[in-house]
Amino acid sequence: MASNHHRNLLLPVDNPTLPVWQTNPHPLHDHRSTEELPETCDVLIIGAGFAGVATVYNLVNGEDIGGTSELSVVILEARGACSGATGRNGGHVRPDHFGTIPTYAKRFGLKAAEEFAEYEIANFHAIKKLVRQQKIDCDLVVTRTCTAFTNQRTLDKYKPNYEMLAGLPYMDDFQFVIGEAAESISGVKGALACSSYTAASVFPYKFIMHLLDSALNTGHVNLQTHTPVIGISKAPDGTLVVKTERGFIHTKKVIHANNGYVAGLLPEYKHSIIPCKGICSHITVPEEKVAPLLTNSYIIATTDNGMDYLIPRPDGSIIVGGASHMFRADKHQWYNNTDDSILIEAVKDYYDGYMQRTFQGWEDSGAKVKELWTGVMGYSYDSLPHVGDVPERLNQMILAGFNGHGMPVIWLAAKGVAEMIRKGTAFEDVGLPKIMKTTMDRILAAKNGPEGGDIL
Ligand SMILES: Cc1cc2nc3c(=O)[nH]c(=O)nc-3n(C[C@H](O)[C@H](O)[C@H](O)COP(=O)(O)OP(=O)(O)OC[C@H]3O[C@@H](n4cnc5c(N)ncnc54)[C@H](O)[C@@H]3O)c2cc1C
């Protein structure tokens, strides 16, 4: 099992809180394809979350990027498979049209922002298609995602963003209602306005474990769980030597897909991708009670800079997280913090009674928190993920920095990275938004800019 002897390396802790998704571990959770580590491979992936697994899947199964591949791939995971952010998230596959997109529009222009918004929508459709084609049992539900505003100041901040983007074609799917009807349309008590568009919810752990299983079944992938990478060096023949406590692996290529922990092995990303904690809960309704059906997923903007996210599950239970406004000021509880073994003190009681106080008709539902957990995200200094060749490190690539928002971003990025590896295609030619390319300029801007950038 992974030890913490290398804590200065920014490794995941051994005893994380248990999210509802992982209460029935998949047979591959602690899997090792072979007893000993293989000595060599063509491509070595660090991290078995969405980014790592989607890259592996596309490397060995990606029919539409050049047929099946003969590459030998090793995936090293510090803990159990999918035990990081992906296995402990909110299950919301929601293009974020009003969080980061207006920031990108102001920084890079409307065209670049539109490209990113369309990219997130394309991810949503690609996931939907993948789940249907591969018959993945992962509770995918296509829904409307409703943003309900109960706070006037947040609504005032949001309206100009809406107006800025209103002419873009993807906004045809969008509805924005201000005034009295908002409360009955959204079902959220005290809603002053609400907006909605198409999104999905998913059981993230089941989704990823299915992809992992399918990749392993090709016979080209060796998975080694509980095997943290603790160093990377160059061999005289130009190959890379990856160090673990269980031995060394020689490889032609390394993919850093370890998100919040990336700076442990790539210290130049220390200011670019910062591990930040979030909290999430699972709320159930007792069998003898009935609660109103929620047909939307939600973002609920209750206070200044305060947002909760929520998805109803097909079994009638609820996943809800967020509440960062409650702990933001107390930096040590979440910022630059990788300890997902403990809850965030300031919000550990926040979800008690949440449904009763937030939704109409839930007052007597008896809804209660069943599981509560934390997770570590890779927050990006400039809000953008880092994807592509690591500057000045030959044969190393990165796919990390997905904030609290990887579900509608990672799939096509991983597919792009797999195409770059399989066909030698340049980043610019795999159809990814240009602004997510990792560059030395971005790394230096984070290093030389004010602490925390967009995060703080
Ligand atoms: C509480 C919470 C709620 C969230 N809700 C949502 C949501 O509803 N919708 C959404 O879009 N996003 C959400 N996110 C964000 C989303 O989960 C992430 O953006 C996404 O899962 C990142 O995937 P990843 O593969 O890059 O990282 P991870 O899933 O964290 O995978 C990285 C893996 O690398 C492993 N690792 C680390 N260091 C090493 C090492 N040295 N050697 C080997 N392995 C290593 C880790 O153990 C981990 O398994 C949420 C995140 C959290 C924590």
Side-chain angles (χ1 to χ4, degrees), residues 10-12 46-52 76-80 82-92 227-229 257-259 261 265 278-280 309 373 375-377 399 402-408 410:
L10 210 65
L11 290 174
I46 305 171
F50 192 0
L76 297 182
E77 165 54 52
R79 303 197 294 213
C82 199
S83 66
T86 312
R88 48 190 64 246
N89 71 24
H92 217 170
T227 307
V229 175
N258 52 337
N259 207 25
Y261 309 89
L265 297 161
I279 190 160
C280 199
Y309 50 84
W373 62 91
V376 176
M377 292 164 276
L399 183 65
F402 294 105
N403 304 297
H405 185 57
M407 299 308 284
I410 292 173

Side-chain angles (χ1 to χ4, degrees), residues 208-243:
I208 297 306
M209 295 309 279
H210 181 105
L211 296 181
L212 184 59
D213 199 4
S214 159
L216 290 178
N217 282 335
T218 64
H220 295 298
V221 180
N222 186 311
L223 167 69
Q224 297 287 331
T225 60
H226 303 285
T227 307
V229 175
I230 53 177
I232 300 170
S233 57
K234 252 195 246 161
D237 65 356
T239 57
L240 296 164
V241 185
V242 173
K243 184 181 175 189

Side-chain angles (χ1 to χ4, degrees), residues 91-329:
H92 217 170
V93 187
R94 175 185 181 272
D96 182 17
H97 297 333
F98 294 95
T100 44
I101 300 301
T103 309
Y104 301 159
K106 284 173 204 150
R107 225 172 258 171
F108 308 108
L110 207 52
K111 199 165 164 16
E114 182 186 2
E115 185 189 17
F116 210 96
E118 294 285 6
Y119 167 76
E120 293 197 4
I121 294 168
N123 269 276
F124 158 76
H125 286 295
I127 289 175
K128 188 157 63 74
K129 188 170 162 193
L130 178 72
V131 168
R132 190 183 68 234
Q133 283 181 341
Q134 302 301 319
K135 300 188 173 50
I136 305 179
D137 168 20
C138 63
D139 294 352
L140 185 88
V141 178
V142 174
T143 180
R144 298 289 289 178
T145 182
C146 172
T147 308
F149 299 87
T150 60
N151 177 281
Q152 187 64 49
R153 275 187 299 272
T154 309
L155 177 58
D156 292 343
K157 251 169 74 183
Y158 171 93
K159 264 195 293 191
N161 288 340
Y162 168 69
E163 280 149 19
M164 173 168 65
L165 304 171
L168 297 176
Y170 74 81
M171 294 292 287
D172 288 351
D173 182 38
F174 192 85
Q175 187 188 21
F176 190 21
V177 176
I178 302 185
E180 232 174 83
E183 190 165 334
S184 52
I185 292 173
S186 67
V188 173
K189 293 180 190 175
L192 306 167
C194 65
S195 67
S196 78
Y197 54 89
T198 308
S201 63
V202 74
F203 192 131
Y205 179 71
K206 277 194 187 174
F207 173 52
I208 297 306
M209 295 309 279
H210 181 105
L211 296 181
L212 184 59
D213 199 4
S214 159
L216 290 178
N217 282 335
T218 64
H220 295 298
V221 180
N222 186 311
L223 167 69
Q224 297 287 331
T225 60
H226 303 285
T227 307
V229 175
I230 53 177
I232 300 170
S233 57
K234 252 195 246 161
D237 65 356
T239 57
L240 296 164
V241 185
V242 173
K243 184 181 175 189
T244 77
E245 284 180 344
R246 300 175 54 219
F248 297 88
I249 304 179
H250 288 253
T251 181
K252 294 179 191 144
K253 198 132 206 139
V254 167
I255 315 297
H256 297 263
N258 52 337
N259 207 25
Y261 309 89
V262 98
L265 297 161
L266 295 173
E268 62 270 38
Y269 284 88
K270 184 170 170 222
H271 302 278
S272 302
I273 299 176
I274 296 170
C276 293
K277 271 174 73 173
I279 190 160
C280 199
S281 70
H282 176 222
I283 295 178
T284 56
V285 176
E287 250 172 50
E288 68 280 9
K289 297 275 191 174
V290 180
L293 175 74
L294 297 184
T295 54
N296 299 309
S297 70
Y298 286 90
I299 294 288
I300 302 169
T302 44
T303 53
D304 295 359
N305 301 319
M307 297 264 177
D308 300 324
Y309 50 84
L310 181 153
I311 62 162
R313 295 197 53 214
D315 65 2
S317 67
I318 304 288
I319 304 289
V320 54
S324 60
H325 58 287
M326 302 279 292
F327 57 83
R328 242 189 137 62

